[in-house]
Amino acid sequence: MVLLENVAFVFVAGLITALATGVGALPFFLFDDISDRWNVVLWGLASGIMVAASVFGLLREGMAYGSRIYLVPGLVAGVLLVVVGLVADRRDDAGCGVRVDGAPE
């Protein structure tokens, strides 16, 4: 019975997340064109929210379950992975054929 409760909880949490994602996309249907200035502001806001969630949420949980001996190498590896991904994205011959920034090949 506990398994069913856990599955139901995860399903409802996923459903709420999906609905919130849909609500977050609604402003794009209301406006025909968003200026570059607003685009940058919104990207900065989203980045700040993600960094805050990572720093204040995930690091605290990592410290609760382990020690710094395991947390710091994982954090460094994650930062290096992001940096390598950004560098590879800026190269023309990245090998994947798809540019994340939307620039033509």
Side-chain angles (χ1 to χ4, degrees), residues 40-78:
V40 171
V41 167
L42 294 174
W43 285 341
L45 177 66
S47 300
I49 290 171
M50 289 186 280
V51 168
S54 297
V55 171
F56 299 121
L58 297 176
L59 286 179
R60 187 178 337 137
E61 289 215 16
M63 288 300 295
Y65 287 109
S67 67
R68 288 187 179 121
I69 293 172
Y70 301 114
L71 185 69
V72 171
L75 180 65
V76 170

Side-chain angles (χ1 to χ4, degrees), residues 2-104:
V2 173
L3 177 64
L4 183 60
E5 291 174 5
N6 289 341
V7 170
F9 177 75
V10 170
F11 176 77
V12 169
L15 182 64
I16 291 171
T17 302
L19 291 173
T21 302
V23 169
L26 285 178
F28 293 101
F29 292 108
L30 300 176
F31 300 102
D32 291 334
D33 190 30
I34 297 176
S35 70
D36 288 339
R37 176 176 278 180
W38 274 107
N39 234 353
V40 171
V41 167
L42 294 174
W43 285 341
L45 177 66
S47 300
I49 290 171
M50 289 186 280
V51 168
S54 297
V55 171
F56 299 121
L58 297 176
L59 286 179
R60 187 178 337 137
E61 289 215 16
M63 288 300 295
Y65 287 109
S67 67
R68 288 187 179 121
I69 293 172
Y70 301 114
L71 185 69
V72 171
L75 180 65
V76 170
V79 168
L80 287 175
L81 183 64
V82 168
V83 169
V84 167
L86 289 174
V87 169
D89 179 51
R90 296 295 175 229
R91 293 180 41 191
D92 289 335
D93 59 348
C96 63
V98 177
R99 297 277 307 247
V100 177
D101 60 2

